[in-house]
Amino acid sequence: MPTPPAPSSPAERHELTPARETQLRGRLLKAQFDLNRQPRFPVIVLLSGDDRSGINAALNFLHEWLDARYLELFSFGPETPEESGRPPMWRYWNNLPHRGRIGVYYHAYGLNSVVERLAGGLGDKAWRERLEEIRSFERQLTDDGALILKFWLPSASRSRKKAVPRKSIRLSELWTLPAEASGKTKVERDRYEKVTRQLLTETSTTASSWKVMDEGGTEERCLAIATALGDSLTAHIKAWRDPVRGTPPRVVCFPGEAALPDLLGALPAKHAAADPEAALDRLQARLQLVSERAYERKLNSIIVFEGPDAAGKGGVIRRMTCAMDALHYRVHPIAKPSPEENQFHYLWRFWNKLPRPGHMAIFDRSWYGRVLVERVEGFATKAEWSRAYDEINDFERQITRSGTVLLKFFLHIDFDEQLARFERRLGNPLKKHKITEEDFRNRDKWRPHCQAANVAFTRTSPPGAPWHLIPANSKKVARLMVMEKVLAALEARL
């Protein structure tokens, strides 16, 4: 991706004449029009720093010069109660501009993270994790094609004022104070500068580096920001290459993958259980009590189900949900992304489905589609699904780090059992609607799908979110195994 140019040097600056304004604004508007005409990627302009008046001026300047119909503003203050129950980056993933749009982030994770660190809300470990989460957020977006421009506007004042002990500072107080007091009166100046320097240094990359606007007056800063946006956007559009999708890969396994263990092939074909109906009743009674306790204690949980067609995912979900209060869970059936969902990074539609505090989110198929069906069918390019393993690990790490219980199940049946279930469905008027020609076509790629799944198990099973492989030739036994693991995880946390 092209690196955005730095603001012009003092020697290159000159008075904004009407002719120069027309030239600069016309160039910026043309770039915005070209972006909107072919909406291939989004643009994020992050305005942050402690010069609140300067940031407001830049914000208004961009809205004056650009076409406001294709400009989206996202303002972020202190976390709301709803936001605080999710991973810190949740609210930024939920507020992304559409492809073809320019989104302006007011403060966002820049100043917010600095303020939280200074207020004592982030210890050393949490601070390092936050910086990594910011880098990951930006890396995933830029890898997907997004253009990110980040501007830090420091206050022009260099005066020192009496410091206030850190233990007396509240995050809400920092947000209600004027910009000059925020970080310069309420905390030691040297600590503020150290934390800011860490943020700017450790979250600057080739694709998304910070531009510190520490020279010139308000008008010059606004012009530098507008010029950088116009230049970067024009270059990004010119360098864009549409990825080629929809072509199935010629090879199933790549170097190193063929040697991975066949975890699905090692599963036993059958499992026995004594009186599975009675056991299911006992487990459902426990689940009812445990889910109520989780709701009262605001314990979030996410249950993911993957597996071949007719593996019994829907049956397991029905046995779980009938034991719980319908207000405390939500089931998300994941299919082909909608036109709206295609306007964003593929993980966006999963970030915005993370459960509220005390609730359970159940996914019938999930974000693993990127490394399973999308990989096998060629709906994602090799570059896209190759980097998705790390993106998924990071996504799940942020989920579990926030305190959410995450359980991932792969229900597996053998090739013959799937065919038998298809035939029974065709003869059942209540289930034959589930069968399509595509289900039979997918059987032709049984081996590639199994190999892709084995790769996913190996590369996405961190300690906090391991895969649970369930032999599901017996539906009743599979339901018991899943519910036992769900109960064990929830009860351990409660």
Side-chain angles (χ1 to χ4, degrees), residues 19 55 110 135 169 239 304 339 392 411 459:
I55 294 171
R135 287 193 297 268
I169 300 171
V304 172
I392 288 171
L411 275 62
R459 298 189 59 181

Side-chain angles (χ1 to χ4, degrees), residues 344-365:
F344 303 96
H345 187 282
Y346 79 96
L347 283 176
W348 172 84
R349 63 172 173 158
F350 303 107
W351 272 100
N352 65 24
K353 292 179 177 62
L354 297 189
R356 291 180 291 162
H359 289 70
M360 177 185 289
I362 302 174
F363 288 87
D364 183 354
R365 301 200 185 279

Side-chain angles (χ1 to χ4, degrees), residues 78-88 90-91 298 300 357 402-403:
E79 286 186 340
T80 65
E82 183 180 18
E83 291 170 340
S84 62
R86 268 100 166 196
W90 177 82
R91 59 175 174 165
K298 299 188 181 304
N300 302 11
S402 69

Side-chain angles (χ1 to χ4, degrees), residues 4 68 113 117 136 163 181 205 219 222 225 279 444 481:
S113 297
R117 170 67 164 163
S136 176
T205 64
E219 184 180 68
C222 291
I225 291 172
D444 295 336
M481 294 178 69

Side-chain angles (χ1 to χ4, degrees), residues 22 51 73 88 192 201 219 231 239 263 304 315 341 371 374 376 387:
T22 300
D51 182 4
L73 173 62
Y192 166 78
T201 301
E219 184 180 68
D231 291 346
L263 300 178
V304 172
E341 291 167 338
V371 295
E374 292 184 36
V376 174
R387 63 174 178 260

Side-chain angles (χ1 to χ4, degrees), residues 88-89 113 117 121-137 202-203 394 397-398 400-402:
M89 301 306 291
S113 297
R117 170 67 164 163
L122 293 174
D124 292 343
K125 181 177 183 234
W127 174 241
R128 291 192 300 271
E129 291 174 347
R130 176 65 57 80
L131 295 176
E132 174 53 36
E133 289 168 356
I134 291 173
R135 287 193 297 268
S136 176
F137 173 72
E202 297 190 30
T203 61
D394 179 77
R397 184 164 48 247
Q398 292 189 52
T400 55
R401 188 182 288 162
S402 69

Side-chain angles (χ1 to χ4, degrees), residues 396-415:
E396 294 177 352
R397 184 164 48 247
Q398 292 189 52
I399 289 174
T400 55
R401 188 182 288 162
S402 69
T404 300
V405 173
L406 173 61
L407 290 164
K408 304 182 301 188
F409 296 99
F410 193 97
L411 275 62
H412 187 60
I413 55 178
D414 61 38
F415 191 71

Side-chain angles (χ1 to χ4, degrees), residues 46-49 76 89 92 105-117 127 130-131 134 138 150-152 175 195-196 199-200 203 210:
L46 179 57
L47 300 176
S48 197
F76 302 94
M89 301 306 291
Y92 305 115
Y105 277 15
Y106 183 77
H107 288 315
Y109 46 82
L111 184 64
N112 288 12
S113 297
V114 170
V115 170
E116 194 174 350
R117 170 67 164 163
W127 174 241
R130 176 65 57 80
L131 295 176
I134 291 173
E138 295 180 345
K150 302 183 295 186
F151 301 97
W152 185 271
W175 270 104
V195 172
T196 301
L199 172 80
L200 301 181
T203 61
W210 284 98

